[in-house]
Amino acid sequence: MERPEVGDEEFLDIAKDPARARALRKSLQRLADSRDETLREMAREVLAGRVGLRQAARNGAYREALSEGAKAGMRAYDRMSAEERLAAEAEGRRQLDECQGEIDRERAERQGERARGRKGGEAPHESRGWRL
């Protein structure tokens, strides 16, 4: 069964732009299915809207699990060669571009739906000669 989730806009104050907000939400979705029970619980609580991400990060158990994950990520980054780091950075940019592409396509679809709705016939007030 699919869980109801908050949208990208929930993360705009932290991420500062729509593509990064979407990437953050997708990262939380991955964490919601992770093996780490604490991170899984935290991600599910945030995605369900029961707790904000900043509030979750202040929770002792969640903060510790996030810190350990960040430390492990930094250790992995430190072990990378310069070429591996460049490839990882390029992959990060590609993922952000992909998120932005998704957002742009969704926006275009919504605009197309609105335009089709306006072309679907005259509005009742126009057909009766009413003016607003």
Side-chain angles (χ1 to χ4, degrees), residues 97-111:
D97 288 345
E98 183 179 298
C99 287
Q100 187 61 56
E102 289 172 3
I103 292 166
D104 292 345
R105 283 188 299 279
E106 291 166 7
R107 186 174 296 140
E109 286 172 10
R110 283 191 305 274
Q111 289 172 346

Side-chain angles (χ1 to χ4, degrees), residues 10-28:
E10 179 71 24
F11 307 107
L12 274 172
D13 65 324
I14 293 171
K16 304 297 184 212
D17 76 64
R20 283 182 167 78
R22 172 140 322 170
L24 179 54
R25 184 179 53 78
K26 286 182 173 191
S27 293
L28 285 165

Side-chain angles (χ1 to χ4, degrees), residues 31 36 39 61-77:
L31 282 177
D36 184 299
L39 290 177
Y62 296 161
R63 183 180 57 241
E64 186 176 326
L66 287 167
S67 177
E68 287 304 312
K71 287 176 187 174
M74 286 306 300
R75 285 191 299 271
Y77 183 81

Side-chain angles (χ1 to χ4, degrees), residues 23-110:
L24 179 54
R25 184 179 53 78
K26 286 182 173 191
S27 293
L28 285 165
Q29 288 171 324
R30 285 189 298 278
L31 282 177
D33 294 325
S34 74
R35 288 179 291 203
D36 184 299
E37 185 177 330
T38 304
L39 290 177
R40 186 174 59 240
E41 176 185 304
M42 185 261 328
R44 289 178 179 176
E45 291 294 305
V46 170
L47 288 169
R50 290 186 288 270
V51 64
L53 187 55
R54 281 193 172 99
Q55 182 183 1
R58 287 190 294 265
N59 173 294
Y62 296 161
R63 183 180 57 241
E64 186 176 326
L66 287 167
S67 177
E68 287 304 312
K71 287 176 187 174
M74 286 306 300
R75 285 191 299 271
Y77 183 81
D78 288 341
R79 287 191 302 267
M80 289 181 180
S81 67
E83 295 80 20
E84 290 170 321
R85 287 179 184 181
L86 287 173
E89 291 167 9
E91 176 60 16
R93 283 190 299 278
R94 186 199 65 74
Q95 288 177 7
L96 281 176
D97 288 345
E98 183 179 298
C99 287
Q100 187 61 56
E102 289 172 3
I103 292 166
D104 292 345
R105 283 188 299 279
E106 291 166 7
R107 186 174 296 140
E109 286 172 10
R110 283 191 305 274

